[in-house]
Amino acid sequence: MIGSFVPRRLPILGVFMLAVLAVLTFVPAALAWDGNAEGEVQWALQWVGQSSWQGPNGWRSSYEQCEKFVENAWNTEYVETSALTGWNRAVNEGRAHRGDANAPRGALVYWNCYGSYGHVGISVGGGQHVDAGSSAIQLGANSHHTSYLGWATAPSSWPGRADPGAPPSSGSNDLVFIKTINTGTNTIELHAKSAASGYKTSIIATGTGFSTGDANNGWFSVANIDGDGRPDLVFIKTKNTGTKTVELHVKSAASGYRTSIIATGTGFSTADASNGFFSMANIDGDGRPDLVFIKTRNMGTNTVELHAKSAASGYRTSIIATGTGFSLGDAYNGGWFSMSLMP
């Protein structure tokens, strides 16, 4: 269950959890020169940690894999025989930006290395790119390779991807760390290691639109709030709220976790905050995460209680308020409660 892990208290440095994630952004805006640039970036990032690239139809030579990867990202293939031929074509057509280190998100980034073949990747902004290496699809700094040539826009004849499509992974959860203090960006940071890499390869390392000052005012989690299939960054604010209720604040994955898509009061009182845990889970089966409160203190039923306010009602109308089979004693046995789909 995405975003169902909620700690009893925020740890000193942040929060770890598991979530299905395949998003990375340092420069959230899509390229002005191509409205579909985000689709190509997201498609490429979905493959990070997978084995070296051959694509659906294989390659003509092993040195072509990097070029084939970027062409597949742009929904085409077998256009160029190597990265360098692609760069030379970009120069001749006026699409190349020689030596420009500020490659925008979705641009093709080139290096004059690996003999006469060269190398190419997809820029994700912030001096980072995804490419097909010799053993795996990898995320790295643009300075990782030698003899940087520059970046280029994709040819106008390449179809592109408005939608990155389904992730290639088996759906295994990635390991997520929400860092709340000692952050280099002076914001709440989102970090993730991919399941495909054995939780060792970074697929997200970014600042967000939340201030570190929020860290002591509630819980952070991830959940797919806007229905685009990507977990958004959720802040359930339980202290110092302007509405005098528990508040729900969400920054969208699509914006690089910087743009607010929800900022609302809810049907839960801030007085509830000391009596249990808040989380997000789809309780009513409509596909949208509802706001869940697992009450472990001052329960009328003398059992752990489950309460939820529906997303459909703006998180104000109760859809469940019930005692459970967990006893009051369970609440004090050194653990916490969460919601998850179990086998």
Side-chain angles (χ1 to χ4, degrees):
M1 177 68 200
I2 293 176
S4 61
F5 173 78
V6 179
R8 195 181 274 270
R9 290 288 185 270
L10 282 171
I12 293 177
L13 289 179
V15 178
F16 281 100
M17 65 187 65
L18 292 177
V20 178
L21 281 177
V23 185
L24 169 64
T25 187
F26 290 87
V27 181
L31 297 181
W33 44 267
D34 191 309
N36 290 339
E38 192 64 23
E40 289 80 52
V41 170
Q42 297 303 333
W43 183 92
L45 283 164
Q46 289 174 355
W47 294 95
V48 170
Q50 302 289 324
S51 59
S52 187
W53 187 250
Q54 293 193 40
N57 299 312
W59 56 54
R60 290 169 293 195
S61 74
S62 60
Y63 291 101
E64 187 194 34
Q65 56 186 310
C66 62
E67 174 65 29
K68 181 174 175 61
F69 180 73
V70 299
E71 289 180 11
N72 286 172
W74 279 84
N75 206 19
T76 189
E77 66 178 358
Y78 298 152
V79 178
E80 306 291 355
T81 57
S82 72
L84 275 185
T85 59
W87 170 253
N88 290 333
R89 188 186 301 274
V91 171
N92 292 336
E93 294 178 353
R95 294 182 286 107
H97 298 254
R98 294 175 183 268
D100 185 349
N102 298 312
R105 195 165 167 84
L108 311 182
V109 285
Y110 291 90
W111 297 264
N112 186 11
C113 55
Y114 303 117
S116 62
Y117 297 96
H119 191 62
V120 63
I122 295 279
S123 171
V124 297
Q128 301 273 316
H129 71 278
V130 176
D131 65 6
S134 59
S135 60
I137 309 305
Q138 56 199 1
L139 170 71
N142 291 347
S143 58
H144 175 72
H145 303 290
T146 59
S147 302
Y148 178 69
L149 292 171
W151 63 271
T153 59
S156 59
S157 60
W158 289 13
R161 294 177 182 271
D163 185 337
S169 71
S170 62
S172 298
N173 289 347
D174 303 309
L175 181 61
V176 177
F177 176 46
I178 302 174
K179 191 173 185 180
T180 58
I181 66 171
N182 298 329
T183 64
T185 62
N186 294 319
T187 69
I188 299 293
E189 293 181 352
L190 186 63
H191 299 259
K193 308 290 186 182
S194 72
S197 69
Y199 310 103
K200 292 179 172 61
T201 299
S202 176
I203 54 173
I204 293 180
T206 184
T208 73
F210 287 112
S211 164
T212 51
D214 295 322
N216 294 322
N217 288 324
W219 287 278
F220 287 92
S221 184
V222 289
N224 181 19
I225 301 297
D226 58 10
D228 68 353
R230 293 177 287 176
D232 307 299
L233 183 57
V234 176
F235 176 48
I236 303 171
K237 191 172 185 179
T238 59
K239 298 178 182 177
N240 302 317
T241 63
T243 62
K244 308 300 181 183
T245 69
V246 170
E247 294 178 352
L248 185 65
H249 299 260
V250 182
K251 307 290 187 184
S252 70
S255 71
Y257 312 101
R258 287 173 170 78
T259 299
S260 176
I261 54 174
I262 291 182
T264 184
T266 71
F268 287 110
S269 165
T270 52
D272 294 322
S274 61
N275 287 325
F277 314 93
F278 287 93
S279 184
M280 305 297 296
N282 181 20
I283 300 297
D284 58 11
D286 68 354
R288 292 180 289 175
D290 306 301
L291 182 57
V292 175
F293 176 53
I294 303 173
K295 192 171 185 180
T296 58
R297 298 179 182 174
N298 301 318
M299 302 89 73
T301 62
N302 291 319
T303 69
V304 172
E305 294 179 355
L306 182 64
H307 299 259
K309 309 290 186 183
S310 70
S313 70
Y315 311 100
R316 298 180 188 280
T317 299
S318 177
I319 52 175
I320 194 167
T322 184
T324 71
F326 288 106
S327 72
L328 178 64
D330 292 323
Y332 296 94
N333 280 329
W336 54 79
F337 294 89
S338 67
M339 304 295 297
S340 181
L341 180 63
M342 304 296 288

